[in-house]
Amino acid sequence: MKTQINGITIAYSDRGTGLPIVFLHAFPLNRTMWAQQEEALSLQFRVITIDLRGHGESDAPLWRYTLEQSVDDVNALLDHLAIQQALFVGLSMGGYILFAFYRKYAARVKGLILADTRAQADTAEGKDGRFQIAQTAYKKGPSAIADIMMPKLLSPATIQTRTALVQQVRAMIEGNQISGIAGDLMAMAERLDSIPFLSQITCPTQIIVGELDQATPPSDAKLMADQIPNARLVIISNAAHLTNLEQPEAFNQIVAAFASNLAKKSIADRQPLYAETRHSQVKAEENEDPKPVFLKVEVMDRLG
Ligand code: MLT
C-alpha cells in the first residue's frame, strides 16, 4: 500500500488485527526484511511494516535527510492508519529512529524492541566513514555498497552457506537509489547521542542482539539494557547484525512473548479493580530481578 505523507509517497504493509506492532528496517534495506515476522506475527497481532523515506517503494527525494523526518513520517502514517499507540520494533537504523521517535512522541509508544542497535552517536571517524561510503555510492552505485555492507550484516557462516538469504539481502541493497543511500548516511551521521536519554525511557523495553554482531555488538546492547529502567536483553546465538533474518524463529518468539505481555498489561490497565494487585506483582518481579536478564536463545538454523 502507498500513501502521501509529508509531501512524498510512503509505502507500507498493514496485516492482521490486535495490538499494532510497527517495524522499522535497517540501513540500507527495506520493509521486506520483515517478511518472516509479518507472516508469523500477523496471525496474532496487527503488523505494520514501512519503507522509510529513501527506501524500497517509498520516494527517495534528492535533498537533505534527517532521522526526525522519518520520525514525522512514521507519526503521520500512524494518524493515517488511525493507530493511537503501538509496540515499535527497530533494527539498527530503525532503532536510531526509535530513540528520536520516543523523544518526540513518547505517548504513542506502548513498548519498544531495540534490535541490533546502539544509543551512542557516531564518532568523528564514524562520520568520516559515512561520507566515504556516500562517495562510493555516488561513484560506483548500490552494488558497491552491497559489497561493503554484506560482511557487516550477516555472519561468515551465513554468507558461506545460505545463498538465498545472501541474495535476498543483496537485492534489497541494490534496489536502493543513490539519493536514499546518501541521505540515510547523512541522517545517521547527524544523529544525537541517546545515552543521556536512556534513563528517561519508561515504557517496557526489550533489547535483542546477535552474539556475532560486530556492527552493534552485544556490549552496546548491554549498555542500553543497563541504563533503560527495567529493560530486558536477549542475545541470539549464531546470528550477526540481521538477527531477524538469520534466526527468524528465535526473533519471532521474543517479539511474540513481549507483545503478548504488553497486550495483557493493556487489558489489566483497563480494569482498575485489579490494578493494585497487578502493580504489586510487577513490583515483586522487579525486586526479585532488578538487573537485565542475559538469556541465550539457542536455535537450529532451519534455513541453511
Ligand atoms: C544498519 O544496519 O542500519 C546500519 O548498520 C546502521 C549503521 O550504519 O550505523
Side-chain angles (χ1 to χ4, degrees), residues 25-28 91-94 96 116 118 122 130 149 153 188 191 215-216 241-242:
H25 62 75
F27 166 83
L91 194 142
S92 200
M93 181 181 74
Y96 304 160
D116 302 278
R118 68 154 81 87
D122 279 0
R130 303 248 189 235
M149 292 303 297
L153 299 176
M188 289 191 288
R191 76 186 189 281
T216 51
H241 194 52
L242 298 179

Side-chain angles (χ1 to χ4, degrees), residues 15-182:
R15 188 163 154 195
T17 55
L19 174 73
I21 313 181
V22 177
F23 286 86
L24 303 185
H25 62 75
F27 166 83
L29 306 179
N30 61 50
R31 74 188 198 276
T32 63
M33 74 171 254
W34 300 116
Q36 291 175 84
Q37 283 66 52
E38 187 182 351
E39 188 69 31
L41 296 166
S42 63
L43 300 174
Q44 247 184 301
F45 306 102
R46 181 175 179 187
V47 173
I48 293 107
T49 60
I50 306 171
D51 279 343
L52 296 162
R53 62 169 57 216
H55 299 264
E57 297 178 306
S58 290
D59 281 347
L62 179 64
W63 204 242
R64 181 163 182 258
Y65 284 60
T66 65
L67 296 186
E68 285 68 30
Q69 286 173 326
S70 293
V71 160
D72 287 334
D73 293 343
V74 172
N75 188 58
L77 182 65
L78 292 186
D79 288 344
H80 174 72
L81 298 174
I83 294 172
Q84 271 301 319
Q85 262 203 327
L87 162 60
F88 290 84
V89 184
L91 194 142
S92 200
M93 181 181 74
Y96 304 160
I97 293 170
L98 285 185
F99 287 126
F101 189 90
Y102 193 90
R103 268 192 204 98
K104 194 163 178 185
Y105 300 114
R108 292 202 108 146
V109 183
K110 198 180 268 293
L112 282 176
I113 299 184
L114 300 165
D116 302 278
T117 192
R118 68 154 81 87
Q120 302 92 311
D122 279 0
T123 58
E125 197 186 3
K127 285 183 211 261
D128 188 53
R130 303 248 189 235
F131 177 76
Q132 299 304 336
I133 297 174
Q135 301 316 301
T136 302
Y138 181 58
K139 288 183 190 154
K140 300 187 178 163
S143 71
I145 302 306
D147 293 341
I148 296 171
M149 292 303 297
M150 294 305 289
K152 297 185 183 175
L153 299 176
L154 300 170
S155 68
T158 296
I159 290 176
Q160 272 175 10
T161 59
R162 295 170 67 179
T163 315
L165 178 52
V166 171
Q167 278 170 0
Q168 182 197 350
V169 174
R170 184 169 263 283
M172 276 190 258
I173 300 175
E174 291 182 347
N176 283 304
Q177 297 178 49
I178 308 295
S179 52
I181 294 176

